[in-house]
Amino acid sequence: MSSERSDDSDGLGDLFDADTDRETVPQTQRLKRQFDLYVAAPFRVAMTDWRAIVGTAIILMFVLMGTVGVWLVDKPTSGDAPVLEPPFQNPSYVLGTDTFGQPIGAQLIHATPDMFRMVFAGAVVSVGVAALVGVLSGFRRGSTLDTILMMITDIIITIPGLPLVIVLVAIFQPGNPYVIGVLLGLDNWPGLARTVRSQVLSIREESYVEASRIMGISTGTILRRDVIAQLMPYITVNSALASRRIIFESVGLYFLGILPFTTFNWGVMMNIAYEGNALNRPSMYHFLAFPLLTIFLMSFGLVLFSQGMDSVFNVRLRARHSATIDEGDSDS
Amino acid sequence: MRTDYLAKRVAQAALTFFVTVTLTFVLYRMMPGGPTEALRNVILQQQMGTGNTIDPARVERLVAQYTNLQSDAPMYKQYIQYMSSVFLEQDLGESLYEDASVTSLLAERIPWSMLISVYAMVIGYTVSIVLGAVMAFKEKSRFDSISSIVVIGLNSTPYYVAGILLIFFFSIRNEIFPTGGRVGLGVEEGFNILFMQSIAYHAALPVLSMSILGLGTALTMRGNAVRVLGEDYLRVAKLRGLRNSRIATQYVGRNAILPMYTQFMIGIAGVLSSSVIVEQIFSYPGVGLLVYDAIQVRNYPVLMGSLIVFTLVTIVAILIADLTYGFIDPRISSGGTDE
């Protein structure tokens, strides 16, 4: 029901009324309409998609872990507890303890804030650069700027990210999570930049953009009003995917022991457990298993979230599924 | 048009390689205190055992020998010297620890890394494209929803986690596959069945864990195929009474795969990247393990050389993909750039 209404408003409504209405409708009305179009309607569709709900719930759980959790649980130190306590035995360390007697649950929790810092820095860098490059080169297709930007993009796509990041890390030894995030974000943007560019190219051909151009509206306004709004879906979906990649890579580098062990990190725990031959020692299984599970859960949340958002934003998909969205997704 | 396209692609590849080599030069220069300063400690440590006294001039000479950088010459001369030794002499410097040139160290390792990466890529992408297409055809069925969840789950599993789990279940708990190495002990090298078997046997788990990287494609493929299935031209094709197999391959398959071009390009670089971590987990002696070992001892020449070689392999792979892509999509070779 709800999806049908929202379909109408951004389908036919936009095409015929929006431009003439915008001049006369008062500010509050306009804000209200935009809120309905960009926040309320997607939210209504999201509530019918289990992936969006579960994904959001998982991400929220991690946010709570990184904020309230850190405040509730003490920072673990060596010798806090007996060494290698098995999980689910002692209520004060539910997930057991590691080889230094540090509770594993507390370590997982205290690794979260830095993880978010890394993900935040990396996602901002990669998505920001990608959006900028993609919009610029898409809107000035065929110009020298476009050629140069796409050339740079293709070069960076080609250079394998991990070896480059490893060399950079070896040289600079970054300990600050923001710096690590930025380094990891540096090779993350080209793919999204190309997607954004091809989106801009197809949006540019849409009749309403053409109409705006014929009416003599400046490029800046067209970009802001018609293009950027259309790109938000891609940017949201890809921020989640970029975050997942940054988590994978940073944890991977910590796991290899390439990033300096200055903070708690899931990868550091994996490294210590793995180097301690946890795979062959049943008493250490939990030390390796819980960090693995945490990484899986966080990226599972992000992937689900991006999938859910994809169906929320995908107008064609939504149009095709609008009649069946309720029954079709609730049984799966 | 075709030769034009070909020339453009090759020129792009050459430029990328040139930029990468320049990048390694810049990276050397960006080391705190420059390459001399950065390498001095490493060299001092290494020479400690030999009892030689080290004077600054000797360090200078050693740095030049290891990295191809004459750090006392002006910057542009250093750059020209460095570039010419890489391009004209294929000289990537010398390892700080082994008495071997970086080129020879890498040459020995590359085939093994290529072996696992190429198989991982081919398997990962083939499986996910077929799976994605089947999921789209059976949209909303039980098969579709179950495999969607499985793919999302696998997609959320980092490849190294997959590697650890595979090693745990298939090498430690059940000794089906070896835990490391690339070929069994005492297997005679050469073109014989036993040798091949041993290689395949050792490569199986690394390939499997890396092929997870390609699985994200299944969901993209499913999305694209669902979209194509809703297009008008498909209805027309059905009304024309075309065979289902023809519709599936010529109409749906082709149009659904084409937009994934960029994803493939990134995928190629991604799979090669991943070999650093995967090879360490499986102690598989390829370029990735070389990088891992080099970073433990700050063996900069080997690191830079590996970066160059990794990029070179990716460039060649993408070039091949590019050229074959031109055959599938006629729009590309006629100069279209909107993908």
Side-chain angles (χ1 to χ4, degrees):
Chain A
M1 282 305 229
S2 56
S3 52
E4 250 170 14
R5 196 168 17 158
S6 64
D7 253 335
D8 265 349
S9 64
D10 58 43
L12 294 174
D14 241 24
L15 201 63
F16 294 115
D17 313 316
D19 265 72
T20 48
D21 271 8
R22 252 179 208 149
E23 262 65 53
T24 53
V25 171
Q27 185 78 21
T28 48
Q29 187 77 38
R30 232 169 80 188
L31 278 176
K32 216 168 164 187
R33 185 178 295 175
Q34 292 214 331
F35 176 79
D36 186 66
L37 191 63
Y38 295 120
V39 183
F43 183 74
R44 281 197 296 267
V45 181
M47 292 320 285
T48 63
D49 191 305
W50 69 272
R51 293 172 302 186
I53 297 172
V54 175
T56 315
I58 292 176
I59 294 171
L60 272 179
M61 190 194 83
F62 275 100
V63 170
L64 282 179
M65 226 168 108
T67 50
V68 185
V70 175
W71 180 66
L72 280 178
V73 180
D74 288 335
K75 207 170 203 144
T77 43
S78 307
D80 264 0
V83 167
L84 284 179
E85 186 89 1
F88 311 120
Q89 303 285 323
N90 188 327
S92 41
Y93 358 92
V94 182
L95 300 185
T97 60
D98 67 3
T99 37
F100 306 110
Q102 306 185 77
I104 286 171
Q107 287 190 67
L108 290 176
I109 288 172
H110 279 270
T112 322
D114 273 354
M115 209 69 210
F116 272 113
R117 285 186 194 113
M118 247 178 261
V119 165
F120 174 75
V124 165
V125 168
S126 50
V127 175
V129 174
L132 193 72
V133 169
V135 169
L136 274 180
S137 77
F139 219 73
R140 329 206 94 212
R141 179 183 173 187
S143 67
T144 328
L145 182 72
D146 176 30
T147 319
I148 293 172
L149 283 179
M150 279 302 107
M151 203 181 266
I152 297 174
T153 309
D154 283 347
I155 288 174
I156 298 186
I157 282 187
T158 312
I159 299 177
L162 214 52
L164 176 63
V165 172
I166 286 176
V167 173
L168 285 172
V169 165
I171 294 175
F172 298 112
Q173 290 290 306
N176 185 326
Y178 291 112
V179 178
I180 297 172
V182 169
L183 285 182
L184 292 171
L186 280 180
D187 76 281
N188 236 332
W189 61 267
L192 179 57
R194 270 183 158 277
T195 318
V196 168
R197 177 175 177 273
S198 55
Q199 283 307 315
V200 170
L201 286 182
S202 67
I203 293 170
R204 231 174 55 142
E205 304 302 316
E206 299 282 351
S207 42
Y208 58 88
V209 177
E210 215 179 317
S212 302
R213 218 180 301 147
I214 292 168
M215 282 157 66
I217 294 173
S218 72
T219 312
T221 317
I222 297 179
L223 278 179
R224 195 159 40 81
R225 204 197 259 178
D226 298 332
V227 179
I228 304 278
Q230 295 282 321
L231 287 175
M232 280 322 282
Y234 292 91
I235 292 176
T236 319
V237 169
N238 281 287
S239 300
L241 293 179
S243 307
R244 185 198 58 149
R245 240 186 97 165
I246 284 161
I247 293 172
F248 276 20
E249 289 189 351
S250 65
V251 172
L253 290 179
Y254 273 115
F255 171 57
L256 281 191
I258 288 170
L259 283 168
F261 287 6
T262 47
T263 103
F264 291 107
N265 186 286
W266 308 328
V268 175
M269 297 171 70
M270 279 166 58
N271 176 285
I272 298 170
Y274 194 76
E275 299 289 314
N277 207 6
L279 286 183
N280 286 316
R281 294 171 57 187
S283 65
M284 279 178 75
Y285 283 170
H286 65 286
F287 186 16
L288 188 59
F290 287 118
L292 291 187
L293 209 64
T294 314
I295 299 158
F296 171 78
L297 201 63
M298 187 158 182
S299 50
F300 190 60
L302 287 165
V303 172
L304 278 183
F305 177 77
S306 77
Q307 291 284 323
M309 286 299 115
D310 203 24
S311 67
V312 168
F313 286 126
N314 195 333
V315 182
R316 275 166 131 166
L317 214 71
R318 197 167 59 187
R320 218 172 98 77
H321 291 252
S322 57
T324 51
I325 215 164
D326 290 309
E327 70 222 59
D329 279 336
S330 53
D331 64 3
S332 54
Chain B
M1 273 307 181
R2 268 224 56 88
T3 49
D4 207 32
Y5 170 72
L6 203 99
K8 212 175 113 192
R9 285 296 157 188
V10 173
Q12 168 94 42
L15 177 76
T16 308
F17 187 57
F18 188 80
V19 169
T20 312
V21 178
T22 306
L23 182 72
T24 59
F25 176 78
V26 173
L27 285 172
Y28 266 130
R29 296 300 330 173
M30 263 163 47
M31 289 178 184
T36 327
E37 202 56 44
L39 284 176
R40 174 172 292 135
N41 290 329
V42 183
I43 293 172
L44 283 178
Q45 236 172 33
Q46 175 211 6
Q47 299 279 324
M48 205 94 94
T50 62
N52 289 342
T53 46
I54 307 277
D55 58 307
R58 196 174 135 71
V59 172
E60 234 11 77
R61 258 204 327 279
L62 284 171
V63 169
Q65 182 200 338
Y66 288 136
T67 64
N68 293 326
L69 289 169
Q70 313 277 350
S71 45
D72 47 351
M75 193 66 84
Y76 73 95
K77 268 197 185 150
Q78 285 184 39
Y79 177 63
I80 294 171
Q81 220 265 310
Y82 180 78
M83 296 303 272
S84 69
S85 56
V86 171
F87 281 98
L88 302 179
E89 300 159 26
Q90 288 84 46
D91 179 2
L92 296 170
E94 254 178 59
S95 166
L96 294 178
Y97 288 88
E98 299 96 339
D99 193 16
S101 72
V102 174
T103 322
S104 67
L105 280 177
L106 287 169
E108 195 262 327
R109 302 272 185 124
I110 292 169
W112 299 96
S113 284
M114 297 265 291
L115 175 84
I116 55 171
S117 309
V118 169
Y119 274 105
M121 240 174 314
V122 171
I123 293 175
Y125 284 132
T126 318
V127 168
S128 49
I129 285 176
V130 172
L131 184 67
V134 175
M135 273 155 73
F137 273 109
K138 304 198 165 193
E139 204 198 348
K140 302 251 167 229
S141 69
R142 180 170 296 242
F143 172 80
D144 178 33
S145 38
I146 290 175
S147 28
S148 284
I149 296 174
V150 171
V151 170
I152 292 177
L154 286 175
N155 205 14
S156 320
T157 316
Y159 53 89
Y160 46 86
V161 170
I164 294 175
L165 293 179
L166 285 173
I167 253 197
F168 180 67
F169 287 111
F170 293 107
S171 302
I172 293 177
R173 295 294 288 273
N174 311 298
E175 290 169 3
I176 303 172
F177 290 104
T179 52
R182 59 193 181 196
V183 72
L185 278 173
V187 178
E188 192 194 339
E189 267 189 54
F191 198 74
N192 59 56
I193 296 287
L194 223 61
F195 184 59
M196 301 284 174
Q197 252 177 5
S198 178
I199 287 178
Y201 190 57
H202 282 77
L205 290 186
V207 167
L208 208 58
S209 58
M210 281 161 92
S211 59
I212 276 197
L213 277 166
L215 269 185
T217 332
L219 294 174
T220 322
M221 178 69 191
R222 178 185 176 277
N224 288 350
V226 166
R227 205 197 59 226
V228 173
L229 283 170
E231 296 280 358
D232 288 340
Y233 60 75
L234 208 84
R235 206 175 311 150
V236 175
K238 273 184 196 143
L239 290 175
R240 272 171 68 198
L242 294 179
R243 267 176 293 116
N244 270 336
S245 60
R246 184 160 168 210
I247 292 181
T249 52
Q250 296 272 312
Y251 284 74
V252 182
R254 207 167 170 179
N255 285 304
I257 291 173
L258 290 182
M260 302 196 297
Y261 173 64
T262 312
Q263 208 176 347
F264 285 131
M265 265 170 74
I266 300 169
I268 292 174
V271 168
L272 279 164
S273 276
S274 71
S275 70
V276 182
I277 301 183
V278 168
E279 285 178 9
Q280 199 270 331
I281 293 175
F282 291 97
S283 21
Y284 194 86
V287 184
L289 199 61
L290 194 67
V291 169
Y292 177 77
D293 292 338
I295 200 157
Q296 305 296 321
V297 291
R298 303 263 168 276
N299 199 341
Y300 291 112
V302 173
L303 279 182
M304 298 294 185
S306 313
L307 179 59
I308 291 176
V309 162
F310 265 124
T311 315
L312 184 65
V313 173
T314 320
I315 289 172
V316 173
I318 288 182
L319 193 64
I320 295 171
D322 254 344
L323 298 180
T324 41
Y325 186 78
F327 280 113
I328 308 171
D329 187 356
R331 286 171 306 180
I332 287 293
S333 48
S334 59
T337 50
D338 10 339
E339 286 166 35

